[in-house]
Amino acid sequence: MAIQLYNTLTRKKEDFIPLEEGKVKMYVCGPTVYNYIHIGNARPAIVFDTVRRYLEFRGFDVQYVSNFTDVDDKLIRAANQLGTDVPTVAERFINAYFEDVSALGCKKADVHPRVMENMDIIIDFISELVEKGYAYESEGDVYFRTRSFDEYGKLSHQSIDDLQVGARIEVGDKKQDDLDFALWKAAKEGEIYWESPWGIGRPGWHIECSAMAKKYLGDTIDIHAGGQDLTFPHHENEIAQSEALSGKLFSRYWMHNGYINIDNEKMSKSLGNFVLVHDIIKQHNPQVVRFFMLSVHYRNPINYSEELLESTKAALERLTTSYQNLKHRKDASTDLTHNNQEWLEKIAALRKQFIEAMDDDFNTAKAISVLFDLSKLANYYLLEKNTAIEVIDAFTKQFEELFQVLGLTMEKEEMLDEEIDALIEKRIQARKDRNFQLSDQIRDQLKDMNIILEDTPQGTRWKRG
């Protein structure tokens, strides 16, 4: 069965057929590194890392490129506020980005190009557009002639005549047409700049991705991905300038993940609900955050809240507990062959269902439901009086393999001694209050974490199993 993905360009699911058999060229728009990344930045990082992992699982050789915007207005403002320069700000938050997304289980891209390290190719790209008549210089700025590209609007599915000037379109006196967008900006006093044929300045935002995608992946790539908010104007402008220059299709497939709401409200600084990953992973296991992000189909909006994160934690623990129980049972298992094939076929059927879910536009929500079916099946198998090493190994292998596809690990989070002591105190109080349900819940929770309790006349003692 072929992988199908939803192509924003055509607004329908299509069979995924890369340009070169067995190989995938994939470009994902990365962050502007002026601050720690927020939870909205984390979603595309996790989603498209998972897409990459699944393509590799299905046998593709994936060339994965994700850029850093390390110079723009936000970085200049941040540098001024911090009393330093733009390269220092960029380096600080690039390092912070790697720390945060690594904690979330994201692999590094094959290449993480930066604007400041690719200025020559960006200037050359702009120069060629000017030579071909698609761009023009105006008082030190360079603009793309939007109306010169006949297919402008094909990604966002809007007519150029219907585009509203001022709606995410920068109006300016230097332009020949208000729909034209900046490829190069003349430097203002005190700003970071580079020499160019049009004077000192720096690139516009959109040109960097086109130039770096061309450098590292070629004129035509297989998948271009990013957040839904980038569809227009960023990705629309990328298409225009790339295809105007090369005369070729820029990307065969376009993928966009949905928005994130915080407590059912759109995340924004003005609402004060701007949540940084740097802060979240201090309070929550990063694996739980990743699992939460994958629990909803990537194209759908997702609502973030502390309550939902807590329920996600409990759900993930159910899966890891099943896995740990299997590993513990292996030592007591034998080489019995009775009914082994029947169980192995059930495990294989669930693996097939997982693949079918992921083949259907990378439906991680459905794939996770298959993991819970695998967990239920494993728990049911462990009720058997006699278990076989062959079946136990098949279960654990599937857990490990399918978790790895989702960028998750099967290891349970290690509890600190003080956390265990606090839970025991809570259990003691629950017993005093005759709240036996809570007492049993805490005991079971600690048991799942491989903490053994001993109630003695001198009090409750614990040890790691």
Side-chain angles (χ1 to χ4, degrees), residues 29-30 155 168 205 225-236 256:
C29 286
L155 181 67
R168 301 204 72 185
W205 175 34
Q228 185 179 334
D229 58 314
L230 298 181
T231 308
F232 183 86
H234 184 55
H235 288 163
E236 195 73 72
H256 295 91

Side-chain angles (χ1 to χ4, degrees), residues 37-65:
I37 60 168
H38 54 70
I39 194 71
N41 301 129
R43 192 176 192 191
I46 291 169
V47 163
F48 298 117
D49 173 74
T50 305
V51 170
R52 173 197 192 179
R53 285 172 180 271
Y54 185 68
L55 290 170
E56 290 172 342
F57 168 76
R58 294 285 265 115
F60 291 97
D61 176 14
V62 182
Q63 193 175 358
Y64 191 92
V65 178

